[in-house]
Amino acid sequence: MRASSLAAALFAFLALVGSTSASDPDLLQDVCVADLNSTVKVNGFPCKAQFNATDFFSNLLVKPGNTSNAQGSIVTAANVLRFPGLNTLGVSISRIDYAPGGQNPPHTHPRATEIVFVLYGELDVGFITTANVLVAKTIKPGEVFVFPRGLVHFQRNNGNVPAAVVAAFNSQLPGTQTIANTLFGATPPVPDNVLATAFQVGIQEVQFVKSKFAPK
Ligand SMILES: *[C@@H]1O[C@H](CO)[C@@H](O)[C@H](O)[C@H]1NC(C)=O
Ligand SMILES: *[C@@H]1O[C@H](CO)[C@@H](O)[C@H](O)[C@H]1NC(C)=O
Ligand SMILES: *[C@@H]1O[C@H](CO)[C@@H](O)[C@H](O)[C@H]1NC(C)=O
């Protein structure tokens, strides 16, 4: 099961890479391993002068992450910031672990489409279109679901056992904006009156929600 799961995840990943036009810029050379410490600012990262196989390898996703948090889920991201060989290649990969009842709360990736492959467990997943239509489904081990670039989406484990997915992205650094945290946990804060009018609630309700997302 494990080997075939991984093979299917790889297939899904390659299908994503091959069948969409990359949202990251095309590459101009074979490799450009990110020099994460460079003081030069470019779109992406400058290339390191020397590289070897270690730069193109990651074991970040081997172990399940710790899901003991308020949402009951954890995203472990192998993006260019932790996997420098991805620089200029237009792809990245994560694993997401979910406790029973845990969820990856509504969020968007401004720079990537995401495709998830279920390793184990069962998840209720969905995205919302710009016409405010919820597109949702329950997915099981070996099944795949895709979240179009930029659209708000979520996954929830309504089962009573842990769940996990592999998520592939057509960007080396998809970026994540988690809606609740973005609006209620920004620094400096979004003004209370902006949120009160937006959500049609009182200032006190806004402050209550803000207290849950106070920057650490
Ligand atoms: C970047 O600098 C940090 C210390 O600031 C060092 O630990 C790390 O190894 C450096 N990384 C690279 C790729 O040179
Ligand atoms: C790759 O280079 C790094 C130093 O940049 C070194 O620590 C590592 O052992 C090398 N790996 C291989 C497989 O040669
Ligand atoms: C998981 O995280 C919680 C909360 O931070 C911590 O108490 C617990 O020790 C962690 N568990 C493991 C196995 O690291």
Side-chain angles (χ1 to χ4, degrees), residues 24-108:
D24 283 5
D26 222 345
L27 60 171
L28 301 176
Q29 56 214 319
D30 288 355
V31 301
C32 174
V33 174
D35 179 354
L36 296 172
N37 286 353
S38 173
T39 55
V40 177
K41 293 294 171 203
V42 296
N43 188 22
F45 295 94
C47 314
K48 278 205 309 194
Q50 307 285 328
F51 62 85
N52 64 27
T54 307
D55 296 305
F56 297 91
F57 166 84
S58 171
N59 59 8
L60 287 168
L61 310 190
V62 171
K63 288 190 193 149
N66 185 341
T67 57
S68 302
N69 55 53
Q71 298 293 329
S73 85
I74 188 82
V75 178
T76 308
N79 61 40
V80 69
L81 298 179
R82 301 174 76 196
F83 188 179
L86 295 182
N87 193 40
T88 73
L89 300 184
V91 298
S92 59
I93 191 164
S94 297
R95 76 173 285 157
I96 313 170
D97 293 283
Y98 313 82
Q103 66 173 13
N104 188 11
H107 63 279
T108 78

Side-chain angles (χ1 to χ4, degrees), residues 13 50 84 94 160 163 193 198:
F13 185 64
Q50 307 285 328
S94 297
N160 49 21
N193 56 5

Side-chain angles (χ1 to χ4, degrees), residues 74-163:
I74 188 82
V75 178
T76 308
N79 61 40
V80 69
L81 298 179
R82 301 174 76 196
F83 188 179
L86 295 182
N87 193 40
T88 73
L89 300 184
V91 298
S92 59
I93 191 164
S94 297
R95 76 173 285 157
I96 313 170
D97 293 283
Y98 313 82
Q103 66 173 13
N104 188 11
H107 63 279
T108 78
H109 304 292
R111 290 182 292 275
T113 288
E114 171 178 3
I115 187 163
V116 295
F117 172 87
V118 182
L119 291 174
Y120 48 84
E122 218 175 276
L123 294 156
D124 295 332
V125 305
F127 65 84
I128 300 140
T129 70
T130 59
N132 244 5
V133 175
L134 172 66
V135 179
K137 184 142 179 58
T138 301
I139 55 174
K140 300 182 174 146
E143 295 180 344
V144 165
F145 197 83
V146 65
F147 305 102
R149 176 175 169 182
L151 298 186
V152 175
H153 60 281
F154 59 86
Q155 304 104 28
R156 185 172 174 93
N157 177 7
N158 280 320
N160 49 21
V161 292

